[in-house]
Structure formats: structure tokens, C-alpha cells
């Protein structure tokens, strides 16, 4: 007859190593699961932030194109007052477009989709973008004579505008500012 370890009166030679190894493996698997869950949360947050940035950029782009269209169709003409988003800045003073201008009520034009796409189709869930237009000094067209004695009425100086548009994402955490030059 063989000796069996579970007979009463016989001492067991097992010391619980299997239990210890199983607990260590369970701990490692738990850490891997928690790490994977955290990575998923971070990736979700990154995707949400990118989507929010894209919404703000699309809103700014829609406002920029609308303002350019408004300039070309004669909608924006009163730059002498230097208010309400229409400015004729002096070169010595620099541009009025500073970060503070976007927070000053009445210092910018609010996008109203005049001549441009409606905001709901251009950037769903976006905040209403803001626009500032600067009437820059006139320039000569390439190939024109710019001497003082040349006053050719056939080729007058070209009026130049700088259009700045600020779009804000859906949850106010992302801001995009775009600029273009219109002649």
C-alpha cells in the first residue's frame, strides 16, 4: 500500500507557495487592467479635446470667410471710428488685435453668417465666433510706378485689409484665432 499525504496523522509537506504565486499573478493582472482602463480614459479625453479644437477652428474659418465676403461686397465700410470691430490702425500704435480685444464687448463683430455658411452647418456646438477687421495702409500693385510724380488714375493703390477671427470650441476650453489678408 502506498503512503498518501492526506491520511490522518501524516504531516503535510506543502507550504502554501501556490497560493502566494496565485496572489502575485492576480495582482499583476489587476494592475494591467487598471492601466488599460486609465489609458482608455486618457485617449478619450485627447479625442474630445481634438474634437473641441476642431469645432473652434471651423467656427473661426466660417467667420473669416464671411468677413472676407462682407469686405468684397461692401458690407464693412466705416473704419474711421475705430470701434465695433472695424479699425484703421496707425502703424506707430500697432495692431489693435490683442488678446484683450476678444474679451471687450463692442470691440469686435459677432459672426452673423452674412454671406457665409450658417454656424450650425459649419461648426455644430460652437460658440459664436468674433471678428476684427483692420484697414491697413494702401499698397501699389506689382509692376506699378510708385514714384511721387506718377499719379496714374488707371491704377490706384490697392486697399488692404487684415481680417482676424476667433472661434471658441463647444466647451470654452479651446480657442482658435485665424487671420487673412484681403485686397
Amino acid at each position: 500500500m502506498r503512503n498518501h499525504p492526506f491520511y490522518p496523522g501524516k504531516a503535510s509537506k506543502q507550504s502554501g507557495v501556490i497560493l502566494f504565486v496565485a496572489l502575485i499573478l492576480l495582482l499583476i493582472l489587476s494592475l494591467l487592467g487598471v492601466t488599460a482602463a486609465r489609458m482608455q480614459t486618457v485617449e478619450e479625453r485627447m479625442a474630445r479635446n481634438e474634437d473641441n479644437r476642431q469645432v473652434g477652428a471651423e467656427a473661426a474659418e466660417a467667420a473669416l470667410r464671411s468677413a472676407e465676403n462682407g469686405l468684397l461686397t461692401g458690407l464693412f465700410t466705416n473704419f474711421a471710428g475705430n470701434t465695433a470691430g472695424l479699425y484703421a490702425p496707425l502703424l506707430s500704435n500697432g495692431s489693435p488685435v490683442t488678446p484683450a480685444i476678444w474679451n471687450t464687448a463692442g470691440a469686435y463683430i459677432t459672426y452673423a453668417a452674412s454671406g457665409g455658411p450658417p454656424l450650425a452647418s459649419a461648426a455644430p456646438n460652437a460658440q459664436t465666433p468674433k471678428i476684427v477687421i483692420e484697414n491697413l495702409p494702401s499698397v501699389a500693385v506689382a509692376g506699378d510706378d510708385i514714384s511721387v510724380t506718377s499719379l496714374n488714375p488707371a491704377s490706384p493703390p490697392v486697399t488692404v485689409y487684415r481680417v482676424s477671427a476667433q472661434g471658441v470650441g463647444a466647451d470654452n476650453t479651446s480657442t482658435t484665432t485665424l487671420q487673412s489678408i484681403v485686397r
Side-chain angles (χ1 to χ4, degrees), residues 122-169:
N125 303 323
Q127 306 290 324
T128 304
K130 304 167 187 172
I131 306 165
V132 172
I133 303 173
E134 299 169 87
N135 184 357
L136 301 176
S138 297
V139 295
V141 177
D144 281 353
D145 182 7
I146 59 171
S147 66
V148 177
T149 59
S150 172
L151 298 173
N152 184 359
S155 62
V158 176
T159 305
V160 179
Y161 301 95
R162 178 174 39 218
V163 181
S164 303
Q166 182 190 61
V168 180

Side-chain angles (χ1 to χ4, degrees), residues 151-183:
L151 298 173
N152 184 359
S155 62
V158 176
T159 305
V160 179
Y161 301 95
R162 178 174 39 218
V163 181
S164 303
Q166 182 190 61
V168 180
D171 63 2
N172 289 330
T173 60
S174 173
T175 302
T176 302
T177 303
L178 300 176
Q179 287 187 332
S180 71
I181 301 294
V182 178
R183 292 195 263 179

Side-chain angles (χ1 to χ4, degrees), residues 5-105:
F6 295 111
Y7 285 144
K10 301 271 185 174
S12 175
K13 295 184 182 184
Q14 294 181 359
S15 59
V17 173
I18 297 296
L19 179 62
F20 180 72
V21 170
L23 287 175
I24 294 297
L25 288 175
L26 184 61
L27 178 67
I28 290 171
L29 289 174
S30 297
L31 288 175
L32 286 173
V34 168
T35 302
R38 283 191 181 194
M39 284 179 54
Q40 180 66 28
T41 303
V42 169
E43 289 174 3
E44 181 182 331
R45 190 176 308 143
M46 287 171 39
R48 186 174 47 243
N49 287 343
E50 176 59 23
D51 183 56
N52 191 38
R53 186 202 63 79
Q54 189 68 29
V55 165
E58 289 172 1
E61 182 76 19
L64 191 68
R65 298 300 166 230
S66 175
E68 289 172 351
N69 189 40
L71 280 170
L72 296 175
T73 59
L75 181 64
F76 303 116
T77 56
N78 184 18
F79 291 91
N82 281 332
T83 59
L86 302 175
Y87 298 95
L90 297 173
L91 291 178
S92 59
N93 293 343
S95 173
V97 181
T98 62
I101 201 167
W102 303 115
N103 297 323
T104 306

